[in-house]
Amino acid sequence: MPFLGQDWRSPGWRWVKTEDGWKRCEPFSPALEDGNNQLNDISHTVIITGDDESEEVYNTEDCEFAAKKRKKDHFRNNTDSQCFYREKWIYVHKESTKERHGYCTLGEAFNRLDFLSAIQDIRRFNYVVKLLQLIAKSQLTSLSGAAQKNYFNILDKIVQKVMEDQYNPRLIKDLLQDLSSTLCILIRGVGKSVLVGNINIWICRLETILLWQQQLKNLQMNKQVNNGLTLSDLPLHMLNNILYRFSDGWDIITLGQVTPTLYMLSEDRRLWKKLCQYHFAEKQFCRHLIPSEKGHIDWKLMYFALQKYYPIKEQYGDTLHFCRHCSILFWKDTGHPCTASDPNTCLMPVSPQHFIDLFKF
C-alpha cells in the first residue's frame, strides 16, 4: 500500500513500499495528480519507481484512496472554504505544548461554539448579548481580524432577529450604545494604534452601528391579534406570580406599562424588596437606605441605587460550561467527550465575564 503522507524524506512526494524499501513514485498522468474522478474507472495504473524505471501495479483501491486524500488536502488548503464543526466545544489551552501548538482565541471560540446558532435559541440569546456587551466595553482592542469579523457577524444576526421578532430590543439597544461609545473613544486615539486593523474599516463599522441604533429607535411593535385568552384575563394571583419570577427591574417596569392592573402589581413594595434581597446583601442595604415620604423604605429606588454600585446576579436560561477535568468549554446540552469517571462533578457554569477571562493572555 502506498505511503501518502508528507514525509521528512521529501515533503509533498508520494512514496511506495517495495522489497528494497520506500521509493518515490511519480504520477502517470495529470488526471491522477489532479484527483480526477476518472480514477474510479481505471482498473490499474502504471507508475515509475526508482532509477531503474521498473513498473509497479497501482490498483483501483489505492487510486480511490489517493484521490480522496488529495481532495481532503485541497479542502484544507483552500483559504476560501469555511470550516463547520459538528462538535460545539473547544479545548481551552493558554500555552504551547508538545501535543498542541499555539493557543485558542476568541475568534476560534466564536466559530467552535457556534454563537450564530446560539442566538436563535431563546435560552442562550441573553447570554450571548451580555457576552458581546462585555467585549465591547473592554476587549475591542485585543480582538484579532478573525475575531472582529465573527463578532460583527453575530451582532448583525442579533439585530436582524430583534427587528424581525421584536424580542428584547432594550437589551440590544444597551449593547449598541456601549459599543458605539467605546468605538468613539478608541477611534479618537487612532494615533496610538489602539485598534487592530484599518481605521477606515472601524469607521464604517461605527456608521453601521449608528444605522442599527436608528432602526431600533424607529422599531414599531406589531399589534398582536386577539385570538382568545390574553394576559389581562389571568387572575391577579397568577399575574403576581409572573412578576415575582422576573429578575430584572426594567422588565417589571415594562410589563407594568401594559395595563393599569399590571402597573398596580408592579408597584408593590414587597415585590421590589424581594428583588433587592435576591441581588444584594443586607450590608449593602444599610449603606444606601432610601426612605419614602411615609417613612418606609422605598425598595424600588433602593434597587436602582444599589444597581449603580454593585453588580446584580446574572440569570440565564442556558450557559456555557467548563470541564475542569478535560479543560473543555461547551454548551451543556451538546456535551463533550469527557474521560472522567463522573463528569457531572467536573462541570462548572461559565458566566460571560468568566468566558472573557478564559481567553485573556
Side-chain angles (χ1 to χ4, degrees):
M1 181 177 177
F3 180 80
L4 301 178
Q6 292 186 350
D7 191 75
W8 60 269
R9 285 163 285 199
S10 182
W13 289 94
R14 298 182 185 85
W15 296 79
V16 63
K17 189 174 184 180
T18 65
E19 295 179 356
D20 299 329
W22 290 95
K23 293 186 178 181
R24 191 177 70 191
C25 65
E26 299 177 357
F28 175 72
S29 65
L32 179 62
E33 179 65 20
D34 296 336
N36 197 309
N37 293 332
Q38 294 177 355
L39 285 173
N40 296 329
D41 301 328
I42 300 176
S43 59
H44 68 277
T45 304
V46 178
I47 57 176
I48 301 175
T49 60
D51 298 330
D52 55 354
E53 298 186 356
S54 61
E55 295 182 353
E56 295 277 343
V57 176
Y58 197 29
N59 60 31
T60 305
E61 183 179 355
D62 295 334
C63 292
E64 292 177 354
F65 184 85
K68 291 179 181 179
K69 180 68 167 61
R70 283 192 294 274
K71 290 178 182 178
K72 188 174 182 181
D73 292 341
H74 175 73
F75 178 79
R76 287 178 176 176
N77 296 330
N78 187 2
T79 56
D80 295 332
S81 63
Q82 183 179 2
C83 295
F84 298 92
Y85 301 94
R86 292 183 180 178
E87 302 85 1
K88 295 181 181 180
W89 53 265
I90 184 172
Y91 177 82
V92 180
H93 53 109
K94 296 187 176 183
E95 58 184 9
S96 298
T97 63
K98 292 182 179 180
E99 294 78 13
R100 292 179 179 271
H101 177 67
Y103 52 85
C104 54
T105 62
L106 270 176
E108 184 182 1
F110 284 150
N111 274 338
R112 295 296 297 267
L113 296 172
D114 196 12
F115 280 5
L116 281 176
S117 298
I119 61 175
Q120 303 300 328
D121 190 334
I122 193 172
R123 300 172 303 164
R124 301 174 182 172
F125 182 85
N126 292 359
Y127 182 90
V128 176
V129 172
K130 181 63 176 180
L131 175 59
L132 296 188
Q133 189 173 15
L134 292 177
I135 292 175
K137 290 180 179 180
S138 61
Q139 298 297 312
L140 283 182
T141 56
S142 62
L143 292 181
S144 64
Q148 293 172 21
K149 184 177 180 180
N150 292 332
Y151 180 93
F152 282 94
N153 283 341
I154 297 170
L155 187 57
D156 183 29
K157 296 296 183 183
I158 290 176
V159 174
Q160 291 180 16
K161 179 178 177 60
V162 174
M163 295 296 294
E164 294 172 0
D165 302 340
Q166 290 92 38
Y167 176 74
N168 210 342
R170 178 180 57 83
L171 197 62
I172 189 61
K173 285 180 181 178
D174 294 341
L175 165 59
L176 293 178
Q177 180 60 41
D178 291 338
L179 184 57
S180 60
S181 300
T182 304
L183 275 182
C184 288
I185 296 173
L186 294 177
I187 288 175
R188 294 192 191 103
V190 63
K192 301 179 182 179
S193 301
V194 294
L195 290 170
V196 177
N198 192 306
I199 188 62
N200 294 325
I201 296 177
W202 284 104
I203 292 176
C204 290
R205 288 170 176 167
L206 179 58
E207 292 175 351
T208 303
I209 293 169
L210 296 177
L211 177 61
W212 286 339
Q213 287 180 308
Q214 187 63 37
Q215 291 175 349
L216 290 172
K217 184 178 180 181
N218 299 331
L219 178 63
Q220 298 292 330
M221 295 294 179
N222 296 331
K223 186 176 181 180
Q224 299 294 329
V225 179
N226 187 1
N227 293 324
L229 189 66
T230 64
L231 189 65
S232 303
D233 298 325
L234 296 177
L236 287 179
H237 71 277
M238 294 186 67
L239 294 174
N240 202 38
N241 287 336
I242 292 174
L243 286 169
Y244 269 85
R245 293 181 182 274
F246 285 7
S247 61
D248 191 330
W250 283 110
D251 289 338
I252 295 176
I253 292 177
T254 302
L255 185 59
Q257 296 173 352
V258 177
T259 63
T261 302
L262 287 170
Y263 175 78
M264 178 192 65
L265 295 175
S266 67
E267 293 295 318
D268 185 11
R269 290 180 60 253
R270 290 175 298 175
L271 172 64
W272 290 97
K273 182 179 180 180
K274 286 286 185 180
L275 195 62
C276 289
Q277 292 175 341
Y278 173 76
H279 287 289
F280 310 106
E282 292 185 5
K283 293 182 179 180
Q284 297 169 342
F285 297 158
C286 300
R287 300 175 185 176
H288 304 277
L289 287 176
I290 303 177
S292 62
E293 296 178 355
K294 298 180 180 180
H296 302 293
I297 297 177
D298 193 331
W299 291 103
K300 182 178 179 180
L301 292 179
M302 276 276 292
Y303 171 81
F304 290 104
L306 293 171
Q307 193 179 30
K308 296 179 181 179
Y309 299 99
Y310 309 104
I312 63 175
K313 289 183 180 180
E314 298 177 357
Q315 189 177 43
Y316 305 102
D318 190 17
T319 65
L320 289 169
H321 281 68
F322 181 75
C323 180
R324 293 186 293 268
H325 178 78
C326 307
S327 297
I328 287 179
L329 191 65
F330 63 100
W331 295 106
K332 189 174 182 180
D333 60 349
T334 59
H336 75 291
C338 187
T339 58
S341 56
D342 189 2
N344 292 330
T345 60
C346 307
L347 302 186
M348 178 179 64
V350 177
S351 67
Q353 183 59 55
H354 187 196
F355 176 89
I356 294 176
D357 294 339
L358 286 174
F359 295 94
K360 279 184 178 179
F361 306 105

